[in-house]
Structure formats: structure tokens, C-alpha cells
């Protein structure tokens, strides 16, 4: 059980940070406050409020504010960072922040919260902690007025992953007829607001369990409850340090230690660690209702290792991660994990693209995961000599199955998946399948707001022929991965 305690120790450290912020953050003086107004015309702001520790380090709360409907849509904290490190993290967000008065952000956050709560919408669960980085909402803060809603109407803006659709039953129940839904869903199910119809299928069955897009992992064998089966303690020393935190890159000595482990033994140990980590994330969902995003980088580092050492014997590890929800990827792998996923999938299935294509239409994967698989098939065609013909046939067979085989037991698919399928076929210049792609458009199965109409996809083929096809970078070297994504 000693190995298990290492993980538990870090987890308790996380909890103690949350308790510290809840109990002590307001005793620290306010530092600088920043705001990004780039998407203000769409009702969205990103704000950063900092607190100054005695030694000059900073703790910050980051808030994604939706003034049209949802209030505090997302929030997290950065704890006790050096000012230059904090500036680097802010810069890495890729947003245009400007310094502002604290009162502006305070009134924006609490005004948006009040507006959302009137419709029965609670703030993101992380606000239970990050609210203590803000000042109390009392008369000590000068009042500033802001307009909430859009032209006087609550507007739920749905993004391309459809996550916002889950708020519709709440709005129907509390403010019926007083809101509109825009963005990536022009229609929504209103026959029975008590049903969780968050998504509109274009093809496939309507079993919600087949559309694994939320906090609902696919049924699985029991995950390891501890790390006792890990043979190489040096891996545990790297991933679960007794002191400090696991950073977002490994140093040269840690990489050398990993490479010194015989590959077969390394894969076996990584299989145990991944299973353990997935089990811990399930526990976090059960206990807290959300993933503790940013708590650990273990899965990210293992994803990077699999990009370097991947082979057919890693397919089961990769499959277990791909069966998790979109939110798990967002919390533990983020954008960097998405870019790495193409290389990881190519390593596991590059010798057998037909297996990956079959997995793409199997039960138990979110559309997010399925889209990653489609793009990985496209990458395999470009990266691995002799595979292009096999990939193109697999994609053709997939499209034929979805479009014409009424007896196939397909998972629930939507226009985002179908749009990606058409885009990958277009990206590979599969001209013989243009009639099939056109049929997808004619039947309204392609999300044309994202992928364009049929004529636009035709023009993409012409552009590729004239200028050459853009090929994603394949990552197979840990040093290069950490240099790229640091």
C-alpha cells in the first residue's frame, strides 16, 4: 500500500490548497486584475484576479464569464507562483489581457452570477473555491452596472461540442419562453424537458449510453485500486514525487530513466498506472461532481511516452483512454493532448488502420474521441508508407456503412462527426468518393457551419492539388514533445 499512499499524499495536498484558499486567500492583499474583452460582443469575458503572498509569490483565480446566460461558466486557480511564471502562464493562454480595476471584474462576475441564478443555473463547481480569491460581495466594492442577456433576452450560446445543451431543461423549467438557443444548435428537444436529450443525432441509435460525451465513462473492467503491481519504482518516483509537484515536462535524467526500462516491462507498468489514474478520476467525479483539472500531469506524460514508444501492444491502453469522456480529455490532456493523440493512435494502430476504423464506429466513444480517430486515420495515410490505400478503403467502407446499411448497429453520430468524415476524405483527395460526400451534404448530415458546403469542400480539393496538402507533425520523441508543448 505504500505506493498507493504517494498518490493519496498528492491528492491531500490538492485538498489542502483548496482549504487554504477558502480560509486564507482573502487575508492576502489584492494584486493586479486583468480582463480579456476580445469576445465581449458575444457575451464572454475572461478575468484574472491575483492575490499577493508575503514573499512576492502570487495566487490567481481565472474566471470564464458568460454574461448572456450561464454566469461563471468555468473557473480554476493557480497557487503561489513566481510573478514571472504567472506572467508566462497568462501569456500562454493566448488571449489579449489588459489590466483593469478590480471593481470592474467583481461587478461583472457577481452580476453574471445573479443573472444566471435567477434562471436556476449554478456557477461552475470550481467557484466554491475561487470565490474566496474575490473580495466579499458587499457595499465595500463600488457598484458598477452591466447589461446581462443579449438585447434583453437570455441567450444560451451552444459551442461545437454541444456541452451547453444540458442547461436547456433547467431553463425550460425556470424561465420557459424567456430564452433563446443559438450557436451550434438551431433546434433542441422540448417534448420532454426531463429527458437528457442533449444532442441531435443524424444517424445511428438514440441510446444515450452510446453517445459518451459527458461524465459517463463506458462500462469497463475494474480499475486497479493501488499501484502495487508496478514493477519499476523509478516510474512512481517520477510520476508521484514525495516533494513538490509533477511539472508539465520531464527533465533529461527522468527521460533517460524511462528509456532504460525494457520496453515490454515499461508498457506493462504504464498499463497499471493508466488504469489507476482512470479509476481516480471516476472517484473524483463521484465525490466532487467534476474533474480536478490541473491536479496531475500523469496521463499527459504517459500520453507523451506512448507517442514515442507506441506499438500494437499499447492499443488496449490507448483504447481505455479514448473511452473516457470529452471532459476527461479537457481536464487532463487539454489541447496538447489532442495534438499528441494523433501520434499516439498512429503508434498503436498504424499497422492496422482497419482496426482503428472499426473502433471509430464501435460503441462507447464520445464524438470527440471518434473525431480524433478520423484525423488519426488521415495522419496514418500520410505518415506510414503503403497505408494510404488501406486507409482510403477503410474510410470509404465507413461512409458506405453509415449512409446505406440500415441494418448496421451504429452508435449515435452527429453532424460534427459526419463533417469530419467528409473533411478527412476531402483532405485525402478521395475524388472517387465525391458522390458519397455530396450525398452527405444533400441529406443535411454535415455541419456546414464548421466544414462548409459541398462546393467549398470541392474547392479545398482544388487548393490541395495546387498548393500541396498540409500534413500534421508526428511526435515520436519526448524531448521534442516537451520542447513543443512546454
Amino acid at each position: 500500500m505504500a505506493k498507493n499512499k504517494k498518490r493519496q499524499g498528492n491528492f491531500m495536498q490538492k485538498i489542502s490548497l483548496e482549504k487554504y484558499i477558502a480560509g486564507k486567500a482573502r487575508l492576502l492583499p489584492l494584486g493586479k486584475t486583468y480582463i480579456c474583452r476580445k469576445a465581449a460582443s458575444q457575451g464572454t469575458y475572461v478575468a484574472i484576479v491575483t492575490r499577493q503572498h508575503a514573499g512576492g509569490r502570487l495566487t490567481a483565480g481565472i474566471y470564464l464569464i458568460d454574461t448572456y446566460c450561464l454566469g461563471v461558466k468555468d473557473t480554476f486557480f493557480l497557487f503561489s507562483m513566481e510573478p514571472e511564471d504567472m506572467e508566462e502562464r497568462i501569456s500562454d493562454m493566448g488571449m489579449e489581457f489588459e489590466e483593469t480595476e478590480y471593481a470592474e471584474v467583481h461587478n461583472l462576475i457577481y452580476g453574471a452570477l445573479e443573472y444566471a441564478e435567477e434562471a436556476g443555473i449554478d456557477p461552475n463547481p470550481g467557484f466554491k473555491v475561487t470565490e474566496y480569491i474575490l473580495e466579499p460581495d458587499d457595499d465595500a466594492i463600488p457598484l458598477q452596472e452591466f447589461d446581462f442577456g443579449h438585447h434583453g433576452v437570455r441567450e444560451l450560446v451552444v459551442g461545437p461540442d454541444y456541452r451547453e445543451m444540458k442547461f436547456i431543461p433547467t431553463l425550460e423549467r425556470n424561465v420557459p419562453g424567456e430564452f433563446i438557443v443559438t450557436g451550434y444548435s438551431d433546434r433542441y428537444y422540448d417534448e420532454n424537458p426531463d429527458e437528457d436529450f442533449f444532442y441531435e443525432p443524424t444517424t445511428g441509435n438514440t441510446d444515450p449510453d452510446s453517445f459518451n460525451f459527458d461524465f459517463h465513462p463506458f462500462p469497463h473492467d475494474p480499475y486497479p485500486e493501488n499501484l502495487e503491481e508496478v514493477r519499476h519504482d523509478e516510474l512512481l518516483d517520477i510520476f508521484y514525487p514525495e516533494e513538490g509537484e509533477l511539472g508539465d515536462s520531464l527533465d533529461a535524467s527522468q527521460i533517460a530513466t524511462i528509456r532504460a526500462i525494457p520496453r515490454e516491462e515499461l508498457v506493462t507498468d504504464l498499463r497499471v498506472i493508466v488504469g489507476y489514474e482512470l479509476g481516480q478520476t471516476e472517484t473524483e467525479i463521484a465525490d466532487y461532481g467534476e474533474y480536478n483539472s490541473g491536479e496531475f500531469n500523469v496521463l499527459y506524460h504517459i500520453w507523451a511516452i506512448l507517442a514515442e514508444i507506441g506499438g500494437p501492444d499499447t492499443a488496449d491502453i490507448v483504447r481505455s483512454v479514448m473511452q473516457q469522456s470529452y471532459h476527461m480529455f479537457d481536464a487532463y490532456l487539454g489541447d496538447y493532448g489532442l495534438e499528441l493523440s494523433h501520434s499516439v493512435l498512429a503508434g498503436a494502430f498504424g499497422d492496422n488502420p482497419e482496426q482503428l476504423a472499426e473502433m471509430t464506429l464501435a460503441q462507447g466513444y464520445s464524438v470527440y474521441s471518434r473525431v480524433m480517430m478520423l484525423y488519426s486515420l488521415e495522419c496514418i495515410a500520410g505518415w506510414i508508407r503503403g497505408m494510404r490505400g488501406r486507409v482510403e478503403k477503410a474510410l470509404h467502407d465507413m461512409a458506405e456503412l453509415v449512409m446505406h446499411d440500415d441494418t448496421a448497429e451504429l452508435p449515435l453520430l452527429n453532424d460534427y462527426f459526419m463533417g469530419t468524415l467528409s473533411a478527412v476524405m476531402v483532405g485525402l483527395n478521395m475524388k472517387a468518393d465525391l458522390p458519397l460526400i455530396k450525398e452527405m451534404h444533400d441529406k443535411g448530415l454535415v455541419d456546414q457551419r464548421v466544414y462548409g458546403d459541398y462546393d467549398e469542400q470541392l474547392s479545398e480539393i482544388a487548393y490541395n492539388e495546387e498548393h500541396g496538402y498540409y500534413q500534421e507533425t508526428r511526435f515520436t520523441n519526448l524531448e521534442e514533445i516537451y520542447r513543443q508543448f512546454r
Side-chain angles (χ1 to χ4, degrees):
M1 297 298 292
K3 296 173 183 176
N4 193 29
K5 288 180 180 177
K6 290 185 178 181
R7 176 55 154 80
Q8 291 174 344
N10 274 341
F11 183 68
M12 293 307 297
Q13 181 185 33
K14 173 70 175 180
I15 300 301
S16 67
L17 292 183
E18 294 177 348
K19 288 182 177 179
Y20 176 90
I21 289 174
K24 304 290 187 181
R26 283 178 173 165
L27 301 178
L28 302 174
L30 281 169
K32 293 181 179 180
T33 301
Y34 305 90
I35 192 167
C36 175
R37 313 176 202 270
K38 189 172 183 179
S41 61
Q42 286 81 49
T44 300
Y45 298 80
V46 180
I48 301 174
V49 176
T50 65
R51 294 278 182 171
Q52 294 180 322
H53 294 263
R57 298 174 74 90
L58 299 172
T59 286
I62 292 85
Y63 310 86
L64 175 61
I65 309 162
D66 174 15
T67 63
Y68 281 2
C69 184
L70 299 179
V72 177
K73 188 174 180 181
D74 195 9
T75 180
F76 61 96
F77 66 85
L78 301 173
F79 182 77
S80 189
M81 299 181 67
E82 294 290 349
E84 57 269 21
D85 293 335
M86 182 71 73
E87 289 179 8
E88 184 177 351
R89 287 294 294 270
I90 293 173
S91 176
D92 288 345
M93 292 180 188
M95 300 179 185
E96 298 175 2
F97 284 100
E98 60 183 85
E99 190 173 348
T100 188
E101 295 294 326
Y102 169 77
E104 178 188 11
V105 166
H106 182 100
N107 283 277
L108 195 62
I109 289 174
Y110 280 102
L113 279 173
E114 181 179 358
Y115 186 70
E117 288 171 354
E118 289 171 358
I121 295 175
D122 295 325
N124 178 276
F127 192 70
K128 293 176 182 178
V129 176
T130 61
E131 69 171 308
Y132 293 101
I133 297 175
L134 305 173
E135 291 288 282
D137 187 34
D138 55 28
D139 293 339
I141 305 300
L143 182 64
Q144 296 182 12
E145 297 289 344
F146 292 94
D147 291 328
F148 298 98
H150 192 201
H151 301 305
V153 177
R154 295 181 192 275
E155 180 175 336
L156 181 67
V157 182
V158 177
D161 56 17
Y162 298 98
R163 282 185 290 173
E164 293 79 7
M165 294 291 282
K166 65 183 178 183
F167 294 103
I168 289 175
T170 300
L171 293 168
E172 286 281 14
R173 185 168 54 251
N174 295 314
V175 286
E178 299 178 14
F179 70 96
I180 61 174
V181 181
T182 62
Y184 281 84
S185 182
D186 297 326
R187 296 175 292 117
Y188 58 90
Y189 294 98
D190 58 3
E191 296 91 346
N192 186 355
D194 294 329
E195 297 286 345
D196 288 337
F197 288 122
F198 298 165
Y199 315 99
E200 294 186 47
T202 59
T203 185
N205 73 61
T206 56
D207 177 6
D209 289 337
S210 75
F211 196 73
N212 170 27
F213 214 75
D214 216 283
F215 295 118
H216 309 294
F218 196 66
H220 55 80
D221 294 333
Y223 291 127
E225 296 183 1
N226 54 57
L227 295 167
E228 291 180 346
E229 294 184 14
V230 175
R231 296 173 58 184
H232 291 273
D233 286 342
E234 59 266 39
L235 284 177
L236 301 181
D237 293 337
I238 291 172
F239 293 143
Y240 307 107
E242 292 283 5
E243 298 181 0
E245 297 180 356
L246 176 61
D248 55 9
S249 64
L250 301 180
D251 61 33
S253 64
Q254 291 171 321
I255 293 174
T257 297
I258 291 170
R259 287 177 176 154
I261 300 172
R263 184 186 176 282
E264 184 176 344
E265 295 178 13
L266 175 60
V267 170
T268 299
D269 280 354
L270 293 180
R271 183 176 291 111
V272 175
I273 296 171
V274 167
Y276 176 75
E277 286 293 317
L278 295 179
Q280 295 299 302
T281 65
E282 279 198 0
T283 300
E284 289 165 3
I285 289 296
D287 291 347
Y288 300 101
E290 64 171 340
Y291 293 108
N292 285 311
S293 59
E295 181 189 352
F296 300 107
N297 288 319
V298 174
L299 286 177
Y300 165 67
H301 289 301
I302 292 179
W303 217 230
I305 293 168
L306 292 176
E308 176 173 292
I309 70 167
D313 57 344
T314 66
D316 64 314
I317 305 176
V318 175
R319 188 180 295 111
S320 67
V321 175
M322 299 301 293
Q323 285 179 333
Q324 304 301 307
S325 73
Y326 161 81
H327 298 280
M328 193 286 292
F329 277 93
D330 188 38
Y332 288 96
L333 295 174
D335 293 338
Y336 297 156
L338 172 60
E339 292 191 49
L340 279 177
S341 294
H342 303 142
S343 300
V344 173
L345 284 161
F349 300 99
D351 293 338
N352 193 348
E354 295 84 3
Q355 184 182 7
L356 181 56
E358 181 179 346
M359 196 169 94
T360 304
L361 292 183
Q363 295 288 347
Y365 299 94
S366 70
V367 165
Y368 183 80
S369 291
R370 298 183 200 281
V371 165
M372 277 194 279
M373 296 178 202
L374 287 173
Y375 282 126
S376 297
L377 283 166
E378 183 180 11
C379 290
I380 289 171
W383 288 340
I384 303 176
R385 185 182 299 275
M387 288 297 169
R388 182 170 184 128
R390 291 172 61 179
V391 168
E392 290 184 1
K393 183 179 185 304
L395 291 168
H396 168 84
D397 292 346
M398 186 188 304
E400 283 283 359
L401 182 69
V402 172
M403 298 293 292
H404 300 140
D405 191 341
D406 294 334
T407 65
E409 296 184 0
L410 296 171
L412 190 153
L413 306 170
N414 68 359
D415 55 0
Y416 185 52
F417 173 86
M418 296 300 294
T420 305
L421 177 58
S422 70
V424 168
M425 297 170 75
V426 165
L428 292 173
N429 285 15
M430 294 172 58
K431 290 184 177 180
D433 285 296
L434 286 176
L436 193 56
I437 295 172
K438 186 175 188 302
E439 184 181 356
M440 295 181 196
H441 284 275
D442 291 343
K443 290 184 176 180
L445 302 182
V446 174
D447 186 342
Q448 295 187 346
R449 288 166 294 190
V450 176
Y451 296 99
D453 58 24
Y454 177 69
D455 289 336
E456 288 175 297
Q457 290 202 309
L458 275 182
S459 66
E460 185 177 338
I461 287 181
Y463 180 88
N464 289 341
E465 288 181 334
E466 181 179 354
H467 299 281
Y469 171 62
Y470 170 74
Q471 181 65 49
E472 294 277 352
T473 300
R474 185 176 187 182
F475 297 102
T476 58
N477 177 271
L478 283 172
E479 288 88 352
E480 177 59 27
I481 290 170
Y482 294 127
R483 186 160 49 246
Q484 180 78 16
F485 297 137
R486 185 173 181 178

